[in-house]
Amino acid sequence: MSHRLRWRKSDAELALIKNSVDLDVQAFVKAFQTSRAGATEADVMAQHEAACRIGGADRLAYPSVVGSGAGACVVHYHQNDKMLEDGDLLLMDAGCELNGYVSDITRTWPISGRWTQAQLDVYSVVLEAHDACLRAARVDGETSLMDIHRLSIDVLANGLAKLLPNTSARALIRSGEYAKYYPHSVGHWFGADTHDVPSVAVSTPFERNVAFTIEPGLYFSPHDLDVPADLRGIGVRIEDDCVVDANGAVVALSAALPTDPDAVAALASSTFFRPV
Ligand code: GLY
Ligand code: MN
Ligand code: MN
């Protein structure tokens, strides 16, 4: 019962959520600017956390995931201690808690500031799924987060069928094999907690003032001989914090942090921190 009440936020709560997301976005910019070959996952994690704390966050929302190279394929990677290498991707999933409300953002970027073709191919499929899900979420009395999850499976399976030999989207979905590459759901409610109000079913049609994440991803294990060699060890997730506003439109609160691959690469190439 209290979960149902907590599910729909007041306008004041949405303002607090936006503050938390804005701070996380600023902290991600620091993370992007810290990442370069020779720095470590720990450097990136620490700069993000420092920016959150300096901005007033009470704590992180959850342990940050800062996975470079094949570490990006481990959904709950927390080792966060490898040296960053040119040619690898960095996947960072991190959020903060500010005045009782959390943020939960993921971005994936090339450490060198330049995508390889295989990385860009995978990223483009995940971005297509992310954008399609954002467009499809709406308040119409029917559409639910479960529908958006099904849509993400469709778009990702169609993309996988182009990336992998000898398969089709239909075969990947029917066999459930898509889940080897997309082993999590498209999102969850968030607010006072990262995985907020879990007793509100994802099949519940969206209502105004509910906050949820959209976070499709694709992960290709470095050991999976079923996938082309150039895909092995690539992991990509794009996660935005969203809300259905008072007009029924879906707004990505974290949209200030780029998802466009050129803008992501440009941000990854920028720097604020140089070792002495
Ligand atoms: N960072 C936890 C999640 O995205 O669900
Ligand atoms: Mn999430
Ligand atoms: Mn996350």
Side-chain angles (χ1 to χ4, degrees):
M1 176 61 189
S2 69
H3 274 193
R4 187 78 193 194
L5 292 172
R6 262 174 61 171
W7 182 51
R8 270 186 78 151
K9 276 49 180 189
S10 68
D11 289 344
E13 287 181 292
L14 289 184
L16 291 169
I17 288 172
K18 179 75 170 103
N19 288 344
S20 178
V21 173
D22 285 348
L23 180 56
D24 199 16
V25 167
Q26 284 175 36
F28 258 86
V29 170
K30 287 282 193 292
F32 268 86
Q33 294 173 334
T34 303
S35 71
R36 59 185 154 64
T40 65
E41 294 166 352
D43 292 331
V44 176
M45 174 175 68
Q47 292 293 343
H48 169 275
E49 180 164 359
C52 289
R53 297 274 183 175
I54 291 165
D58 299 312
R59 57 186 69 81
L60 294 181
Y62 49 87
S64 302
V65 174
V66 187
S68 63
C73 301
V74 181
V75 172
H76 294 293
Y77 177 84
H78 294 308
Q79 210 173 309
N80 299 353
D81 63 356
K82 283 205 309 272
M83 191 172 283
L84 306 184
E85 292 183 25
D86 274 341
D88 281 348
L89 294 180
L90 182 63
L91 183 156
M92 180 163 190
D93 182 347
C96 65
E97 183 177 326
L98 175 67
N99 297 321
Y101 288 86
V102 302
S103 39
D104 176 10
I105 298 175
T106 306
R107 289 292 185 268
T108 309
W109 66 90
I111 290 159
S112 66
R114 290 179 304 280
W115 300 95
T116 67
Q117 190 57 50
Q119 290 166 352
L120 190 56
D121 290 346
V122 176
Y123 188 89
S124 300
V125 171
V126 176
L127 183 59
E128 189 185 345
H130 165 274
D131 291 353
C133 290
L134 273 176
R135 278 195 305 273
R138 60 175 61 98
V139 176
D140 58 7
E142 289 182 6
T143 305
S144 67
L145 196 51
M146 186 181 285
D147 296 321
I148 302 303
H149 180 58
R150 289 202 187 101
L151 174 65
S152 71
I153 292 171
D154 278 349
V155 178
L156 293 174
N158 273 288
L160 279 169
K162 292 179 191 131
L163 293 168
L164 302 177
N166 307 323
T167 190
S168 68
R170 198 175 151 88
L172 287 163
I173 293 172
R174 281 198 154 186
S175 64
E177 209 193 335
Y178 75 85
K180 185 162 96 171
Y181 310 103
Y182 179 39
H184 57 77
S185 66
V186 78
H188 51 87
W189 316 122
F190 78 101
D193 289 324
T194 306
H195 288 244
D196 208 26
V197 296
S199 71
V200 178
V202 290
S203 56
T204 314
F206 287 114
E207 291 185 19
R208 288 177 189 189
N209 282 26
V210 303
F212 57 97
T213 66
I214 293 287
E215 49 180 303
L218 284 177
Y219 315 88
F220 298 95
S221 160
H223 312 296
D224 187 348
L225 301 183
D226 291 340
V227 308
D230 59 350
L231 296 184
R232 288 179 212 152
I234 293 179
V236 172
R237 180 162 66 257
I238 305 170
E239 176 174 25
D240 271 323
D241 294 337
C242 305
V243 66
V244 185
D245 73 8
N247 301 316
V250 171
V251 179
L253 301 173
S254 40
L257 195 62
T259 55
D260 170 79
D262 291 336
V264 165
L267 190 52
S269 301
S270 64
T271 182
F272 87 108
F273 171 81
R274 286 192 178 77
V276 287

